[in-house]
Amino acid sequence: MKTLLIFTVLLIFSSCSYADDFVFVKGGKFLMGSPSSENWRSDDELQHEVTLNDFYISRYEVTQSEYKNLIGENPSTFYGDNKPVENVTWLEAVKFCNAKSIAEKLTPVYKIDENKVTWDLSADGYRLPTEAEWEYSCRAGTSTPFNLEHSIGADEANFYGHYPYEIEENYFSQQKLSTKPGIYRGETVEVGSFEPNKLGLYDMHGNVCEWCEDSYDYYPERDVTDPTGPESGSYHVLRGGSYLSNPGNCRSASRYYNYHDDKQKFMGFRLAMIKE
């Protein structure tokens, strides 16, 4: 297995504002997935080298006000203009991307024929980030379980704060925990409520699980460039964990998936695009 040195040597980021709420991410190479020693690791997190081209990603999860202003309705359970929209399916998320592209006179990325969706990566419109883009952006040059490079606490992210990372081994000796139990809010909070990662991206750990472009499958056992997942599948990937999640499920490498037409009060999304 390649060492994590690849990540620190070859991963180079630069950022600038785009339409105020977007960050430019300079492409590069990184180790996607988690080492076998990482606590709460699943067997679908095989570590492999990924090369990505440049892209833009939104600083924040899409808010309820953004969604309602464009789509005309707010499906969310936890109301608040600046809270992330939730209770949206993967299909509804890609329809929002197309609607926003059209509204801003950009070329829509997705072609939607009933429930069948194809996409054009060369289009300059809005889309969901690929799973690789999401993890690369979340990590922002780190190789630790969380992009803070220490265990997240309830004052740093919105998750099930009663249950800190690695409490299983330290339940009766919590003085050994790097992060102590904190509050559990039980709902979403406004986007940007906590400090951003090194790229200036907010809520990459917790708040809502974020839909990605990819259908779900196990990772390939080889190095890849700009992966987009399998060509088809019953499930689509979500990343980042939510306000309901234990911290182990909020790790940078943690993966979750659901049916493309399912919606839950902990599932939202953020946007990506390839051009200025």
Side-chain angles (χ1 to χ4, degrees), residues 87-101:
N87 260 336
V88 289
T89 68
W90 182 87
L91 283 169
E92 289 169 338
V94 300
K95 288 177 180 178
F96 175 90
C97 292
N98 272 6
K100 185 172 175 64
S101 298

Side-chain angles (χ1 to χ4, degrees), residues 3-13 29-33 47 49 135-136 138-144:
T3 69
L4 291 178
L5 183 61
I6 292 175
F7 196 100
T8 57
V9 171
L10 297 180
L11 182 62
I12 302 173
F13 285 109
K29 296 182 180 182
F30 80 115
L31 286 182
M32 186 173 181
Q47 216 168 32
E49 185 179 304
E135 184 171 326
Y136 185 74
C138 175
R139 289 190 177 281
T142 64
S143 58
T144 46

Side-chain angles (χ1 to χ4, degrees), residues 12-16 23-26 199:
I12 302 173
F13 285 109
S14 66
S15 64
C16 65
V23 167
F24 172 71
V25 182
K26 179 68 177 174
L199 268 180

